[in-house]
Amino acid sequence: MCTGKCSMCIGITLYPLALISIICNIILFFPGWDVKYAQKGQITEEVKKLGGLVGGGVMVLIPAVHIHMTGKHGCCANRCGMFLSIILSAVGVAGAIYSFIVALSGLLNGPYCDVGNDYWTTPFKNEKADYLKDRALWEKCTEPKNVVKFNSGLFSILLLVSLLQIILCGIQMINGLFGCLCGTCRDKDKPRQTNITVTSAVNVSL
């Protein structure tokens, strides 16, 4: 596949992934679908680190725009555009890695919740038991409602999305390197089509 077309495919694919990452991070601020917890600051610590919003969102969205636009300039774009896409893709990889680490930490530590008598803590942090496998442990969190399921589901999505972003941005770094070294490639069919048209016109006139 031409490096330009590859860039366009990667850029277009990164758009929804970045959007999903941003939406998931925003939703995580409203456990139990209630705004009162965000107002009181009773939010899981990993949510406040904005891994999905900044890392998997903004830091991936900016490279995605450039990668997509680079693919539009001719078949393989230009050496300068491809070189810049390598740098921006590295930024995207860094952002996606940050989102991945935050999401993984959020899954391992578990949610910040009320365990009774208005005592808020992270009950599953540093525990030997795997709360993700033992759903009976989820009852420790009395508030927000279904917060364990809520957090684990969204953090799992962020984990998967960030992994895909790392792979795609990594591919673009390699693709950009080829585009930078090989330069632009033009559509070679156009001159041939022109020659055929001219030849046909001459034959008709004769």
Side-chain angles (χ1 to χ4, degrees), residues 17-26 28 46-47 49-60 95-96 98-100 102-103 155 158 161-162 165:
L17 291 177
L19 185 61
I20 291 170
S21 184
I22 291 171
I23 291 173
C24 284
N25 201 148
I26 293 174
L28 279 166
E46 284 76 15
V47 178
K49 294 179 180 179
L50 304 178
L53 185 60
V54 177
V58 177
M59 290 181 69
V60 171
Y98 175 66
S99 178
F100 182 87
V102 172
F155 275 128
L158 283 172
V161 167
S162 60
Q165 289 173 333

Side-chain angles (χ1 to χ4, degrees), residues 42-44 110-116 118-124 138 140-144 147-148:
Q42 296 168 331
I43 300 295
T44 301
Y112 181 74
C113 61
D114 182 5
V115 294
D118 201 28
Y119 179 68
W120 290 77
T121 185
T122 309
F124 309 117
W138 294 9
K140 285 186 177 182
C141 289
T142 59
E143 193 181 358
V147 67
V148 180

